[in-house]
């Protein structure tokens, strides 16, 4: 089923990215002509790929834990907890990935800091 395949590919893509295997992630799962919607980097997957390599060199102990994954049609949403440095509360991140022909062709990400002193006892996860 394509949804499950896309779901597995999206999770694997993010796992490879967070472990510093950025080239492998893009080679296996992303279209070379894909686009992203992050306002912090130039357009195109090449720019995002370079930024992810730089991020890993700055934060080699980065940890990423997938909390939820939802797939519908060609779209996959992943809710993750990302910690850049051990001991930090980290970030709650939602990635939306759109697939065509088994490859990621479009990517969005939304990030919010995990507050150590949040009044919400339910937390972000």
């Amino acid at each position: 089923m394509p949804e499950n395949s896309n779901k597995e590919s999206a999770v694997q893509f993010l796992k490879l990215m967070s472990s510093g295997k950025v080239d492998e992630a893009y080679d296996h799962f992303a279209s070379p002509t894909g686009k992203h919607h992050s306002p912090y980097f130039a357009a195109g997957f090449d720019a995002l790929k370079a930024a992810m390599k730089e991020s890993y060199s700055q934060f080699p102990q980065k940890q990423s834990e997938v909390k939820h994954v939802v797939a519908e049609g060609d779209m996959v949403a992943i809710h993750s907890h990302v910690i850049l440095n051990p001991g930090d509360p980290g970030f709650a991140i939602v990635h939306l990935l759109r697939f065509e022909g088994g490859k990621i062709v479009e990517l969005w990400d939304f990030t919010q800091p995990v507050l150590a002193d949040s009044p919400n006892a339910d937390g972000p996860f």
Side-chain angles (χ1 to χ4, degrees):
M1 174 182 241
E3 280 182 17
N4 283 337
S5 178
N6 289 347
K7 200 170 162 178
E8 292 166 10
S9 293
V11 169
Q12 202 52 30
F13 175 77
L14 291 182
K15 284 183 178 182
L16 287 169
M17 294 284 284
S18 67
S19 68
K21 298 176 182 174
V22 177
D23 286 328
E24 184 178 341
Y26 274 90
D27 290 347
H28 283 77
F29 300 108
S31 166
T33 58
K35 60 183 177 177
H36 69 87
H37 298 277
S38 175
Y40 302 105
F41 309 109
F45 273 3
D46 285 341
L48 188 60
K49 184 177 171 179
M52 294 304 96
K53 286 180 178 182
E54 176 64 24
S55 173
Y56 185 76
S57 71
Q58 290 179 350
F59 305 103
Q61 295 182 0
K62 182 190 318 185
Q63 300 170 356
S64 179
E65 181 181 355
V66 171
K67 299 292 189 172
H68 306 99
V69 183
V70 178
E72 183 176 320
D74 63 354
M75 297 289 293
V76 177
I78 301 176
H79 181 217
S80 302
H81 184 195
V82 174
I83 298 171
L84 299 179
N85 292 303
D88 289 348
F91 299 90
I93 302 179
V94 173
H95 288 91
L96 297 177
L97 304 99
R98 187 172 68 81
F99 284 79
E100 280 182 11
K103 296 283 186 177
I104 300 163
V105 294
E106 203 163 5
L107 183 141
W108 297 260
D109 61 270
F110 308 93
T111 304
Q112 79 181 97
V114 173
L115 302 177
D117 59 352
S118 172
N120 186 339
D122 294 332
F125 308 104

